[in-house]
Amino acid sequence: MAVVRKVLVIGGGFSGMAAAIQMRKAGIDVDLVEIDPNWRPEGAGITVNGPTLRALETIGVFGEFARRGFTSSGVDLFTPTGHKIGEIPTPKVAGSDVPGGGGIMRPELGRILADATRASDVAVRVGCTYTAIEERGDQVAVAFTDGTTGTYDLVVAADGVHSKTRERFFPEVKPPQYIGQGVWRAVLPRPSDIERPRMWLGGAVKVGVNPVSPTHLYMFVTEPRPGKLNVDAKTWPQLVASMIEPFSDPVLAALRPHLLAPEAAIDYRPLANLLVPAPWNRGRVILIGDTVAATTPHLASGAGIGIESGIVLAEELAKAATLQDAFDGFHARRWERCRMVIENSERLCRIEMENGDKAEHARIMRESVMALTQPI
């Protein structure tokens, strides 16, 4: 029997949903509140690695990911002119036969997990969050924006990188800081010969594509930028098109006009990261996912480490003798893995921005990929 009977999850993002689904499997009653009334994940495409697919398999949604997204293995590397210079292998992960990676539209992955959350008999309330949290002995009393109240054995805060729960319980932690690199994303028609991710390496600017369905791919472009972007969004299509113009590979040249179409839905994100020192709980309130461990996308692991944390928390709650034992087991399994992803991703980012040592970049990629294939 789990060490808790009833849990509140704050936030219906990937990590919060993963925790809720897995806790229900352990027989724990779960309420989940999500402030967005439409429960609508934002963003364009998302790249995931093999370990993330393994986590989705653990939850039980890998089949839907494969059906509604795209899976593959390996990444091809090219010069700006289209000369293939190598590939990054994606080795098999321990304990699973899932492919080495994949891509999907972020809202589509959100819908897959939301459907699984509701199917798990999680009590979901959208357009709702909390107004007060107060620990009272071995329970936590919570007041909600809809005027209701509830009492829980544990509160799991997964309310994202700009978490108000972190601000309250970890006031000493500074908000995420811009790292000096931004990423552009666009959704484009997929040429039939692009069957796995490709990246074009051209100095400080990097271009990549990844299939997200049988008919579409998403393009990502990373660029160094001293300050956060401050230009009219109407100019974004032409700005991105001009950024990839120096890449003369015919494949990119053929994709470039599609950037100017409204369907490209160009999105820009300034990159930042965050690593809150463990432990990630204050009493009976524990924080997971981007709330305490947010990374840049350089290892395609941001969603993955959050989903893994939801899984591990549920596992520890199900097997521990006491709640403190569950917290200790959770932190022992998550801290080093999350630290490695965040710090190595930041180093990869800085090497790219500075057009730095390619051998160091390759080494960090190789070591990180191998570490992530290990069991969680």
Side-chain angles (χ1 to χ4, degrees):
M1 181 179 294
V3 295
V4 292
R5 293 182 180 179
K6 189 174 183 181
V7 173
L8 171 67
V9 175
I10 300 168
F14 298 154
S15 56
M17 289 190 284
I21 293 167
Q22 295 304 104
M23 285 190 288
R24 286 298 299 132
K25 292 179 184 178
I28 300 168
D29 291 333
V30 181
D31 289 354
L32 184 149
V33 291
E34 164 54 45
I35 195 170
D36 179 3
N38 299 309
W39 204 2
R40 182 185 58 240
E42 297 180 346
I46 179 174
T47 296
V48 300
N49 56 19
T52 304
L53 294 179
R54 175 180 59 192
L56 295 175
E57 180 183 53
T58 298
I59 292 172
V61 300
F62 170 71
E64 276 300 293
F65 181 102
R67 186 176 72 83
R68 293 153 71 172
F70 202 96
T71 63
S72 60
S73 293
V75 180
D76 294 319
L77 304 177
F78 292 84
T79 66
T81 59
H83 173 67
K84 185 174 180 179
I85 54 176
E87 60 183 71
I88 301 173
T90 48
K92 292 183 69 64
V93 297
S96 176
D97 291 323
V98 295
I104 194 169
M105 295 300 293
R106 182 177 286 270
E108 195 69 20
L109 179 56
R111 283 189 285 268
I112 290 171
L113 287 168
D115 289 344
T117 300
R118 292 191 186 277
S120 299
D121 200 25
V122 173
V124 176
R125 282 184 286 169
V126 298
C128 180
T129 188
Y130 70 92
T131 58
I133 297 176
E134 181 182 354
E135 189 165 342
R136 298 174 180 171
D138 59 357
Q139 292 187 318
V140 185
V142 183
F144 298 98
T145 53
D146 61 3
T148 62
T149 59
T151 303
Y152 302 90
D153 302 313
L154 176 69
V155 172
V156 178
D159 49 346
V161 69
H162 301 296
S163 166
K164 72 172 186 178
T165 314
R166 185 184 67 243
E167 290 179 4
R168 174 176 177 177
F169 288 92
F170 294 78
E172 74 280 7
V173 175
K174 294 181 180 179
Q177 300 298 307
Y178 176 57
I179 203 169
Q181 187 183 55
V183 59
W184 299 88
R185 296 183 175 95
V187 182
L188 308 173
R190 182 180 73 87
S192 59
D193 60 337
I194 296 183
E195 297 181 331
R196 66 179 188 173
R198 297 186 183 188
M199 288 194 294
W200 289 263
L201 309 179
V205 174
K206 180 177 71 177
V207 181
V209 296
N210 191 15
V212 293
S213 77
T215 58
H216 285 80
L217 56 76
Y218 91 94
M219 175 182 288
F220 56 91
V221 182
T222 58
E223 59 152 350
R225 187 175 285 270
K228 290 186 178 181
L229 184 71
N230 187 24
V231 299
D232 188 342
K234 294 179 181 179
T235 68
W236 287 6
Q238 187 58 55
L239 181 59
V240 179
S242 65
M243 287 171 58
I244 71 166
E245 187 172 10
F247 294 75
S248 59
D249 185 337
V251 172
L252 282 179
L255 289 173
R256 188 168 175 267
H258 294 288
L259 290 166
L260 304 178
E263 293 79 12
I266 292 175
D267 173 71
Y268 174 78
R269 297 292 173 92
L271 297 182
N273 60 11
L274 174 75
L275 182 61
V276 176
W280 292 335
N281 71 291
R282 291 292 185 267
R284 288 177 174 259
V285 177
I286 187 166
L287 281 59
I288 66 171
D290 285 351
T291 306
V292 285
T295 183
T296 62
H298 296 80
L299 289 171
S301 297
I305 58 174
I307 293 170
E308 287 179 353
S309 288
I311 292 170
V312 170
L313 179 60
E315 290 177 350
E316 293 298 323
L317 291 171
K319 73 181 185 181
T322 69
L323 185 56
Q324 187 59 53
D325 287 343
F327 289 155
D328 291 345
F330 171 78
H331 291 116
R333 294 172 63 185
R334 297 312 299 155
W335 167 257
E336 179 56 29
R337 189 173 176 89
C338 292
R339 182 209 62 77
M340 183 273 294
V341 166
I342 293 164
E343 292 184 357
N344 285 7
S345 294
E346 178 174 348
R347 182 56 190 154
L348 292 171
C349 175
R350 297 199 180 281
I351 292 172
E352 292 175 5
M353 288 192 295
E354 298 162 5
N355 197 18
D357 188 343
K358 301 297 190 295
E360 182 188 2
H361 193 285
R363 177 184 58 78
I364 293 172
M365 284 289 296
R366 181 174 61 254
E367 292 174 354
S368 302
V369 166
M370 293 306 300
L372 287 168
T373 63
Q374 298 307 304
I376 62 172

